[in-house]
Amino acid sequence: MSPAAAPILITGGAQRIGLALVKHFLAKQQAVILTYRTKHQVIDELASLGAICIKADFDEPEAITQLNNQIRAHTDALSAIIHNASSWDCEANNPDFSALFDNMMRIHAKVPYLINHALSDLLTANNNVSDVIHITDYVVEKGSPKHIAYAASKAALDNLTRSFAAKFAPNIKVNSVAPSLIIFNQDDSDEYKAKTLKKSIMGIEPGSKEVINSVDMILSSNYMTGRTVQIDGGRHLR
Ligand SMILES: NC(=O)C1=CN([C@@H]2O[C@H](COP(=O)(O)OP(=O)(O)OC[C@H]3O[C@@H](n4cnc5c(N)ncnc54)[C@H](OP(=O)(O)O)[C@@H]3O)[C@@H](O)[C@H]2O)C=CC1
Ligand SMILES: Nc1nc2c(c(=O)[nH]1)N=C([C@H](O)[C@@H](O)CO)CN2
């Protein structure tokens, strides 16, 4: 009987894509540690399924230190870290561009940077090659005039992928998944949805399974590192 794999840490695991990833791994009997900021109703269900649910608001100064300590109370190894937590904020909603830029850089670049450093020994303690996966965005390659700070922060995360891949090899692989539209938000208008669907040449809202498939492919590789899986429906061909 092979020993149970060490837990996978997923940040922002209580809704949408993060939640789909958590449920996917739990269904495969894979141990999961997830962070959440808001106490979504689903948290109790995930805990009953065996997930370790840790409250972490990464806007708080001590969040990383507290997360580090809480994770070490539960495990002495990790098989993967998936940096999923994110805030899709924009200049139109934030007249304070300085605060917006700081917030975007913190959640999308500083938090993954600090977590990777803080927990790398737990990844190395894993019995097999471990993984860090950064969930970036198609806009890393194109920019975004309506989400300027967001796109720049995801580009920083994209660059961290290559730096950490070089630093952590060969015990830890580090890769990005760069989606464009995966799932709409509840308050998205029909007009926005129609306009967004036209941006790719596949023209669909693919759903979280696209990200799950890409993550599973990365985790199944013993060789791929410092690279990006782009799941964008052919947006670059428009
Ligand atoms: N949805 C899509 O179509 C696309 C998504 N992506 C990327 O995929 C990933 C998942 O997307 P999606 O599911 O839509 O993400 P969401 O916008 O639903 O956010 C994911 C989670 O991030 C958490 N979060 C945000 N800010 C903080 C913070 N300061 N501290 C702690 N947690 C925080 C939220 O926690 P809580 O809810 O607990 O407050 C939320 O559950 C993201 O990285 C996103 O940028 C990229 C392109 C397209
Ligand atoms: N944290 C989030 N990031 C992004 C989201 C989201 O809902 N939350 N959504 C998008 C869009 O789907 C975009 O890819 C297409 O308009 C981008 N990032």
Side-chain angles (χ1 to χ4, degrees):
M1 184 84 166
S2 63
I8 294 178
L9 170 63
I10 300 172
T11 66
Q15 71 173 24
R16 294 164 54 82
I17 294 172
L19 176 58
L21 284 164
V22 167
K23 289 185 170 180
H24 169 71
F25 289 120
L26 290 175
K28 298 203 294 184
Q29 310 302 311
Q30 164 61 54
V32 172
I33 298 173
L34 67 103
T35 77
Y36 66 93
R37 177 181 54 178
T38 307
K39 185 73 166 32
H40 297 275
Q41 196 169 354
V42 72
I43 294 290
D44 293 337
E45 175 195 343
L46 298 176
S48 71
L49 294 172
I52 305 294
C53 306
I54 298 175
K55 182 172 173 53
D57 180 346
F58 294 123
D59 292 337
E60 298 296 327
E62 293 305 311
I64 305 289
T65 301
Q66 291 167 2
L67 176 64
N68 183 22
N69 293 336
Q70 286 180 278
I71 287 173
R72 291 175 189 275
H74 288 285
T75 186
D76 56 7
L78 288 171
S79 59
I81 299 174
I82 302 176
H83 293 288
N84 168 79
S86 167
S87 173
W88 193 39
D89 211 343
C90 62
E91 283 73 17
N93 292 344
N94 292 271
D96 185 343
F97 291 168
S98 177
L100 174 63
F101 195 86
D102 289 347
N103 292 343
M104 293 294 96
M105 283 295 175
R106 176 169 56 248
I107 186 63
H108 296 134
K110 186 176 181 180
V111 164
Y113 170 81
L114 292 177
I115 289 176
N116 289 347
H117 280 298
L119 298 179
S120 64
D121 66 308
L122 298 187
L123 291 166
T124 303
N126 185 37
N127 291 328
N128 302 306
V129 174
S130 304
D131 286 87
V132 173
I133 297 176
H134 296 151
I135 309 293
T136 60
D137 191 306
Y138 162 79
V139 295
V140 162
E141 68 177 60
K142 187 174 182 185
S144 173
K146 293 184 179 176
H147 296 81
I148 300 171
Y150 165 87
S153 66
K154 287 285 191 173
L157 181 57
D158 172 70
N159 186 269
L160 289 176
T161 297
R162 290 179 288 282
S163 297
F164 277 111
K167 176 179 176 62
F168 285 164
N171 298 318
I172 306 166
K173 301 187 279 111
V174 185
N175 292 285
S176 296
V177 173
S180 63
L181 170 68
I182 297 295
I183 48 174
F184 286 115
N185 280 282
Q186 280 184 337
D187 57 353
D188 286 339
S189 68
D190 290 344
E191 180 192 9
Y192 169 81
K193 288 180 179 178
K195 184 184 67 169
T196 303
L197 290 170
K198 288 195 178 83
K199 287 183 179 177
S200 78
I201 60 175
M202 295 306 289
I204 61 168
E205 177 192 17
S208 299
K209 185 65 175 151
E210 282 297 319
V211 177
I212 291 169
N213 291 343
S214 299
V215 167
D216 275 350
M217 186 275 285
I218 291 170
L219 297 179
S220 70
S221 169
N222 289 318
Y223 194 49
M224 177 179 165
T225 194
R227 286 302 189 187
T228 299
V229 178
Q230 292 160 297
I231 40 178
D232 52 33
R235 270 198 64 172
H236 60 299
L237 302 175
R238 266 272 177 238

